[in-house]
Amino acid sequence: DAGQTKEQDPHITFNVRTRWNDLNIPKFMASFSSLYFLEMSIAHPFEVVRANLQINKERYNFANGYKFFKGKRLRDVYIAFLPTTLGCIPGNLTYVLTYSFTSDYLQSLHDKNISTKVDGRQAAWVSMASAVVTDTIAVPFFCPVEVVSQRLIVQNPRQKTYRNSFHAIQKIFSEEGLKGFYKGVGPVLFNSIMGSVIWWTTYEEGKARLARYFTNDTKHGVVKKNNVAEGLAALLSGLIMTTFTNPLDVIRTRMQTSRVTVPNGSGSVSSSQGTISTIRSILTSEGPKGLFRGYTPRLGLSALYSLMFAYTYELCLDFA
């Protein structure tokens, strides 16, 4: 049929996924860890801005974001960089390896149990289920690192609660016990699962569909991986994810930094507050817009991080 579109072409198959059995795990882990360190060296200053804007009640935009950087020393914008980055490497490796294995396993089950022709794309339910499993396993690795790093980042430099990461760990444990490292774990887990479900589902489907339109030669009926398609899919995924998850991210940051004295004495919540009390406090003092505090810088951070993560992930898959 001459009117048939590319998307409807039954002869097209997509070769945009890397199978688990094709991975060299040691090579993948080494390359991903190295590129993750480079990735975070670029993204960390934006993370510092995001955390500070979400606890501060002053109105912020790009101009005020620039004002935040102005006059800061290099070590100020890279505060907690090493403990955050090195501490997150085990969690990130757990994250990407769990996702790769789970998605490949579930997709193989899907392909065996469908009556229609397998076209090589990852099913949406596979992306969703894999994201839920992955975050449930990985978040316990991330949460303690996030609590320490967030408190170091947002504390008032003139009235420091913690001297360094080791002092922060010791003080949190002595004053709050082990549960202090998992403060805000509910919002963290829910936010992480929700964000991953949105990101991976949009990304996996987007990179396949977009690759179809960036492939010049499909006479053999195979659409291959395409870097431009991966980049665009990552940016779109980051935009959608950030819009839906920013309120949860604000709640997480407020809860994790509740015992820290912050600049101007604003933005912190009582250490006894749980998730519901934190939400009520934000709505009472700031209104609904308080839940979107730091949205603009987080949107920029999410676009940057999504792009870097997607290329890091795909490059390491190809390399391994």
Side-chain angles (χ1 to χ4, degrees), residues 121-170:
R121 286 185 294 181
Q122 184 162 295
W125 79 267
V126 170
S127 300
M128 294 179 185
S130 299
V132 172
V133 171
T134 297
D135 278 275
T136 302
I137 293 173
V139 162
F141 290 89
F142 287 117
C143 199
V145 179
E146 281 197 349
V147 169
V148 173
S149 65
Q150 294 293 308
R151 294 192 185 191
L152 287 170
I153 286 171
V154 304
Q155 68 180 341
N156 190 334
R158 298 183 184 86
Q159 191 180 346
K160 287 188 176 182
T161 308
Y162 311 107
R163 295 190 299 271
N164 50 50
S165 57
F166 295 108
H167 180 240
I169 293 170
Q170 181 185 34

Side-chain angles (χ1 to χ4, degrees), residues 1 3 9 35 64 70 99-100 127 159 166-167 223 296 300 319:
D1 185 353
D9 192 337
L35 288 177
N64 284 334
K70 191 175 181 181
Y99 178 82
S100 298
S127 300
Q159 191 180 346
F166 295 108
H167 180 240
V223 174
T296 302
F319 176 72

Side-chain angles (χ1 to χ4, degrees), residues 152-209:
L152 287 170
I153 286 171
V154 304
Q155 68 180 341
N156 190 334
R158 298 183 184 86
Q159 191 180 346
K160 287 188 176 182
T161 308
Y162 311 107
R163 295 190 299 271
N164 50 50
S165 57
F166 295 108
H167 180 240
I169 293 170
Q170 181 185 34
K171 192 174 178 64
I172 292 170
F173 184 75
S174 64
E175 293 182 354
E176 304 170 58
L178 188 60
K179 67 179 182 180
F181 294 102
Y182 288 91
K183 178 154 289 192
V185 69
V188 168
L189 182 59
F190 188 72
N191 182 41
S192 188
I193 288 176
M194 183 177 176
S196 286
V197 166
I198 294 171
W199 197 92
W200 283 111
T201 305
T202 306
Y203 177 71
E204 294 286 6
E205 184 66 19
K207 75 173 184 179
R209 288 179 177 270

Side-chain angles (χ1 to χ4, degrees), residues 40-162:
M40 288 305 296
S41 69
I42 298 171
H44 189 77
F46 296 95
E47 174 65 19
V48 171
V49 174
R50 188 232 18 116
N52 278 277
L53 301 196
Q54 286 185 340
I55 64 162
N56 202 304
K57 295 179 182 179
E58 180 183 351
R59 178 178 174 80
Y60 271 91
N61 48 39
F62 280 118
N64 284 334
Y66 170 76
K67 187 168 64 176
F68 175 85
F69 274 121
K70 191 175 181 181
K72 292 286 192 298
R73 295 169 297 181
L74 187 63
R75 71 178 186 178
D76 293 330
V77 296
Y78 276 94
I79 186 170
F81 169 70
L82 282 178
T84 301
T85 303
L86 296 179
C88 282
I89 285 177
N92 271 282
L93 287 174
T94 301
Y95 183 90
V96 292
L97 289 173
T98 301
Y99 178 82
S100 298
F101 173 80
T102 306
S103 60
D104 186 68
Y105 175 74
L106 293 179
Q107 187 62 41
S108 65
L109 294 180
H110 175 82
D111 292 344
K112 290 176 184 177
N113 291 280
I114 61 172
S115 57
T116 57
K117 181 179 179 294
V118 176
D119 67 1
R121 286 185 294 181
Q122 184 162 295
W125 79 267
V126 170
S127 300
M128 294 179 185
S130 299
V132 172
V133 171
T134 297
D135 278 275
T136 302
I137 293 173
V139 162
F141 290 89
F142 287 117
C143 199
V145 179
E146 281 197 349
V147 169
V148 173
S149 65
Q150 294 293 308
R151 294 192 185 191
L152 287 170
I153 286 171
V154 304
Q155 68 180 341
N156 190 334
R158 298 183 184 86
Q159 191 180 346
K160 287 188 176 182
T161 308
Y162 311 107

Side-chain angles (χ1 to χ4, degrees), residues 184-294:
V185 69
V188 168
L189 182 59
F190 188 72
N191 182 41
S192 188
I193 288 176
M194 183 177 176
S196 286
V197 166
I198 294 171
W199 197 92
W200 283 111
T201 305
T202 306
Y203 177 71
E204 294 286 6
E205 184 66 19
K207 75 173 184 179
R209 288 179 177 270
L210 290 169
R212 176 70 183 92
Y213 295 101
F214 285 102
T215 301
N216 295 322
D217 181 15
T218 56
K219 64 181 180 180
H220 297 107
V222 178
V223 174
K224 296 183 179 180
K225 296 177 70 171
N226 181 275
N227 291 335
V228 176
E230 290 167 354
L232 291 174
L235 290 173
L236 178 62
S237 302
L239 171 64
I240 297 173
M241 178 194 70
T242 301
T243 302
F244 280 95
T245 62
N246 197 79
L248 291 169
D249 200 59
V250 171
I251 296 165
R252 169 188 70 88
T253 303
R254 299 286 179 93
M255 292 182 69
Q256 288 181 338
T257 60
S258 60
R259 283 180 174 260
V260 181
T261 301
V262 299
N264 302 325
S266 63
S268 63
V269 295
S270 169
S271 61
S272 63
Q273 285 186 315
T275 304
I276 302 300
S277 299
T278 302
I279 296 172
R280 187 181 297 116
S281 175
I282 294 171
L283 293 177
T284 301
S285 61
E286 303 170 58
K289 68 179 181 180
L291 294 173
F292 284 89
R293 186 76 59 187

